[in-house]
Amino acid sequence: MKNQQVADILFRIADILDIKGEIFFKVRSYRVAGRTIESMGKDIEVVIKEGMLRDIPGIGEALEKKIKEIVETDQSEYLEKLKNEIPEGVLRMLGIPGLGPKKVSAIYKHLNITTIEDLKQACTDGKLRNLDGFGEITEINILRGIQLIEKTSGRALLNMAYADGNILVEYLKNCDRVKQISIAGSLRRRKETIGDIDILVSSDSSEEVMDFFVKYNDVQQIIAKGSTKTSVLLIDNLQVDLRVVKPESFGSALQYFTGSKDHNIKMRNLAMKKGYKLNEYGLFDKKTDEYIVGRNEEDVYQKLGLAYIEPELRENRGEIQAAIKNQLPNLVKNGDICGDIHIHSNWSDGFDTIETIVSQSKKMGHEYVGIADHSQSLKIARGLSEDRVIKKREEIDKINRKQDDGFRVFCGTECDIKSDGSLDYSDSILEIFDYVGIGIHTKFKMTREEATSRIIRGMENEYVTFVAHPTCRMIGRREPFDLDMEEIFDTAKSTGTCLEINSFPDRLDLNDIHCKQGKEKDVRFVINTDCHRVENMEFIRFGVATARRGWLEKSDILNTYILKEIEKSFGV
DNA sequence: GCCGTTTTCGGCCCGACTGTTTTCAGTCG
């Protein structure tokens, strides 16, 4: 049983209790425990085996018992009982923006509506307006909310939100009332998917900023407009929240609106313990309400006795304790990457020539690049036959001889791991390459044992440098393999194999949690794009962001090595 | 449901916006 599945059951229990009208704090306990388990670096089964479940903050006697039951039996008797009380469709209504537990409960109890389809009809027929606390506008808003979830299915990939957010920031800079501006929220933390874009501005004239904001060309609909907060929907269905604060509050507001929620709760508690009160307007003396700091985010952390915590770390995964002890990692930066070694050229299914890729790499300031085309059995992607491997080797040697600036092209491969774990080239061919990446591209349906041993057998080949996109997940399209990551990390360590952080926005594989877990086992990583056209080489920043979210430092990553070092590592 | 050198009972982060009210509840982040 995976951590995510345990968390999902806890979230479900919380939703039902919420609709039933259970006390807020009880409901919150289930959600807090769910979030902790979901983002925990350690396998929940291992935690239970070690008898450490109760040591996790937020898990007491009752939750311990329920979580153990879930892990042992794959289900929860308590949830099964609760499910009989609230129909599935009613739970789904909680996902509609603007609808919370109280309204959903009223809709279910008084009108006996149990599906979103029926709710839509009831709104159209004007049946909701007679309920206490409901009106005509409520009906319209619910209809809009239903339309929205039907259209967007929730969250956007990081690159989409990143592009939208940056263009919008540039637009807002044209408003002369804007003093300071920053992206905040999950986009600033570089989460792999983004629910909505948060932008923070400091200004002495918020009304004018808000007016300027809603006139942005790509605004489809204004959801809410006030003097401190305005929300709009862009034409690509991404929601943007703009907050405006006074300059003296910009730092504390940036801290507050960057989140995460759990990080902020920890921060507020810490502030309280130290005799302060922390909110988006600043850090205040708890007794006298006197303003202490708030202009800069750094000051807030410093005043609370903390080293500055980079946004990517703010997930309540131990960063506050580390900041107290001044033991935060020195995170890897975009500029630390010296070359991308997983790029497809037109020798297989890539779009560009090797020369074009070289020229783009130089533009990005890299010292080298690795061309890793597909191997022979992947016919659909024009995988290279053994003959063509030799020809490609000759072409790369020729290109290298032409470089007069010390730049180097490495000849690599993304060799298929066949279903039994053997590799798609013989050792005598693998020897031709400067380095070997291996990856799975066929037969994705496997048990945990099969998938784990398939990858491990691949890693045991002496020519292998790294495993590409190890879990093979595609965000929103394909679930990750159920892998025994502990075993994968141990083998990576013992064989000296790197694990890839694939930067493509719909992969981000390994993810942040894997990175942190792997680092604790002293595993080395490599950050690549796996791109098939040079326009996408800039996606490397999303891989770096994922590594940062996983607490990785420059020394944890193979392709931060300068040319001389990586040549030595490849033995070429 | 969790938690504790101020507490084993009584707290638990908190402010903005909306829509419904006529002073506030619900939702959101």
Side-chain angles (χ1 to χ4, degrees):
Chain A
M1 164 114 344
K2 279 188 283 185
N3 292 26
Q4 189 63 56
Q5 290 165 287
V6 177
D8 286 343
I9 290 180
L10 296 177
F11 291 144
R12 221 175 160 70
I13 292 174
D15 284 345
I16 299 178
L17 292 178
D18 223 348
I19 294 176
K20 281 186 56 173
E22 264 292 355
I23 55 162
F24 169 75
F25 296 105
K26 180 172 173 177
V27 179
R28 196 175 69 177
S29 300
Y30 281 91
R31 296 224 164 97
V32 167
R35 281 205 299 268
T36 307
I37 290 170
E38 178 181 47
S39 66
M40 196 165 69
K42 217 166 168 184
D43 197 321
I44 186 78
E45 288 183 46
V46 176
V47 176
I48 291 174
K49 247 180 236 155
E50 290 171 351
M52 304 291 279
L53 196 51
R54 279 294 285 281
D55 292 347
I56 299 171
I59 295 179
E61 200 184 329
L63 274 167
E64 179 192 32
K65 221 175 126 194
K66 293 199 175 83
I67 292 167
K68 275 187 175 166
E69 184 205 343
I70 295 168
V71 171
E72 278 160 19
T73 68
D74 274 7
Q75 57 173 352
S76 158
E77 207 178 302
Y78 184 49
L79 174 63
E80 294 308 311
K81 200 182 101 214
L82 287 173
K83 274 206 241 168
N84 293 328
E85 300 183 37
I86 309 284
E88 180 68 33
V90 178
L91 289 182
R92 270 202 283 273
M93 290 179 203
L94 285 176
I96 301 170
L99 272 189
K102 297 290 188 299
K103 287 216 162 74
V104 169
S105 171
I107 291 167
Y108 172 52
K109 277 187 192 144
H110 297 113
L111 299 173
N112 199 29
I113 291 171
T114 57
T115 67
I116 291 181
E117 215 33 56
D118 289 351
L119 176 62
K120 212 164 149 181
Q121 194 59 51
C123 287
T124 315
D125 297 345
K127 286 185 179 156
L128 261 63
R129 62 189 68 170
N130 301 323
L131 293 173
D132 265 1
F134 287 72
E136 266 180 73
I137 300 173
T138 321
E139 288 172 345
I140 294 167
N141 283 341
I142 292 174
L143 282 175
R144 271 195 196 141
I146 293 174
Q147 230 177 22
L148 186 64
I149 56 169
E150 282 172 349
K151 265 195 295 201
T152 59
S153 77
R155 302 175 69 86
L157 289 178
L158 179 55
N159 63 316
M160 297 293 297
Y162 182 87
D164 275 4
N166 283 305
I167 296 170
L168 199 42
V169 164
E170 288 311 310
Y171 167 78
L172 285 168
K173 281 181 183 167
N174 294 322
C175 175
D176 53 14
R177 294 298 187 168
V178 170
K179 288 195 165 162
Q180 291 157 287
I181 183 162
S182 174
I183 302 243
S186 54
L187 180 54
R188 184 163 181 242
R189 303 200 312 279
R190 302 284 191 262
K191 269 194 76 165
E192 58 199 29
T193 60
I194 306 293
D196 51 36
I197 298 172
D198 289 296
I199 297 178
L200 179 72
V201 157
S202 78
S203 173
D204 290 314
S205 175
S206 69
E207 308 286 343
E208 288 174 61
V209 176
M210 294 307 189
D211 289 342
F212 190 86
F213 174 54
V214 298
K215 283 189 202 131
Y216 181 58
N217 217 1
D218 284 356
V219 169
Q220 175 192 145
Q221 181 198 332
I222 299 166
I223 297 167
K225 187 161 178 273
S227 63
T228 67
K229 180 187 167 183
T230 293
S231 301
V232 303
L233 195 63
L234 299 181
I235 48 177
D236 60 4
N237 289 320
L238 256 167
Q239 183 177 324
V240 185
D241 293 348
L242 176 68
R243 325 259 177 164
V244 178
V245 296
K246 297 274 182 226
E248 62 268 27
S249 298
F250 186 74
S252 46
L254 187 56
Q255 195 285 316
Y256 182 89
F257 291 121
T258 296
S260 67
K261 198 184 179 77
D262 293 333
H263 175 86
N264 283 355
I265 289 172
K266 270 266 163 69
M267 288 285 286
R268 280 166 179 258
N269 282 332
L270 187 65
M272 252 173 5
K273 275 186 199 142
K274 290 186 178 269
Y276 300 122
K277 187 181 77 176
L278 177 64
N279 60 28
E280 57 264 56
Y281 300 107
L283 186 71
F284 300 89
D285 187 292
K286 196 159 67 177
K287 286 199 188 108
T288 65
D289 257 351
E290 183 198 356
Y291 170 90
I292 298 168
V293 292
R295 199 168 280 274
N296 299 305
E297 205 179 33
E298 290 80 1
D299 295 345
V300 175
Y301 284 95
Q302 197 211 345
K303 207 73 202 167
L304 293 177
L306 301 173
Y308 178 72
I309 300 175
E310 297 284 353
E312 293 93 331
L313 294 178
R314 301 182 197 172
E315 297 289 346
N316 190 27
R317 293 177 187 156
E319 70 280 6
I320 290 178
Q321 294 87 324
I324 290 171
K325 294 187 209 147
N326 205 11
Q327 288 174 351
L328 286 167
N330 184 10
L331 298 180
V332 60
K333 301 181 197 60
N334 283 320
D336 292 334
I337 301 294
C338 295
D340 185 340
I341 63 167
H342 185 175
I343 293 185
H344 295 267
S345 72
N346 61 359
W347 278 78
S348 65
D349 59 347
F351 184 78
D352 300 298
T353 63
I354 296 177
E355 279 93 347
T356 308
I357 295 166
V358 167
S359 126
Q360 179 62 27
S361 301
K362 288 183 183 177
K363 268 188 211 150
M364 294 176 71
H366 291 172
E367 294 179 46
Y368 52 84
V369 68
I371 312 296
D373 283 304
H374 290 291
S375 58
Q376 52 189 347
S377 72
L378 210 61
K379 300 266 193 278
I380 193 165
R382 298 184 59 236
L384 272 64
S385 64
E386 299 193 348
D387 286 353
R388 294 184 67 228
V389 168
I390 293 164
K391 289 208 176 78
K392 182 178 149 185
R393 171 84 258 183
E394 287 167 1
E395 166 159 328
I396 286 180
D397 291 343
K398 209 157 83 191
I399 293 173
N400 273 328
R401 281 195 293 274
K402 279 195 275 183
Q403 305 301 313
D404 50 12
D405 51 5
F407 189 89
R408 177 158 184 179
V409 185
F410 290 112
C411 179
T413 175
E414 184 186 16
C415 180
D416 238 48
I417 310 172
K418 294 200 267 193
S419 53
D420 63 353
S422 63
L423 299 183
D424 195 22
Y425 288 129
S426 63
D427 284 359
S428 60
I429 295 293
L430 291 178
E431 202 182 357
I432 296 171
F433 297 105
D434 294 324
Y435 67 92
V436 173
I438 56 172
I440 290 176
H441 300 92
T442 53
K443 195 172 180 283
F444 295 107
K445 284 198 172 43
M446 292 173 284
T447 65
R448 180 181 172 96
E449 287 70 28
E450 284 166 350
T452 306
S453 69
R454 183 174 176 185
I455 292 173
I456 283 179
R457 196 175 154 205
M459 283 196 278
E460 282 166 347
N461 182 299
E462 59 172 319
Y463 291 103
V464 172
T465 314
F466 70 87
V467 182
H469 43 72
T471 79
C472 283
R473 70 137 172 204
M474 304 286 268
I475 297 174
R477 285 189 289 154
R478 183 164 68 214
E479 286 294 309
F481 296 142
D482 181 10
L483 292 173
D484 186 336
M485 289 309 292
E486 301 278 325
E487 216 179 310
I488 300 271
F489 291 138
D490 288 340
T491 312
K493 175 70 189 159
S494 66
T495 59
T497 312
C498 294
L499 299 179
E500 183 179 73
I501 301 165
N502 190 294
S503 310
F504 229 76
D506 61 354
R507 286 197 189 262
L508 297 179
D509 174 17
L510 300 174
N511 68 21
D512 50 354
I513 292 171
H514 295 135
C515 289
K516 188 154 189 271
Q517 238 175 338
K519 183 183 169 73
E520 277 157 21
K521 294 226 165 200
D522 205 16
V523 167
R524 181 164 296 144
F525 300 85
V526 57
I527 303 176
N528 296 317
T529 59
D530 191 4
C531 68
H532 291 66
R533 49 177 70 226
V534 292
E535 292 81 31
N536 292 336
M537 282 180 71
E538 63 175 53
F539 284 165
I540 196 99
R541 66 161 63 93
F542 303 120
V544 173
T546 299
R548 288 168 65 84
R549 288 177 54 82
W551 295 51
L552 299 192
E553 304 178 273
K554 187 177 170 181
S555 57
D556 297 315
I557 292 151
L558 175 71
N559 52 331
T560 61
Y561 288 13
I562 58 170
L563 181 60
K564 284 274 169 282
E565 289 169 346
I566 203 162
E567 281 174 340
K568 197 172 152 203
S569 161
F570 289 164
V572 295

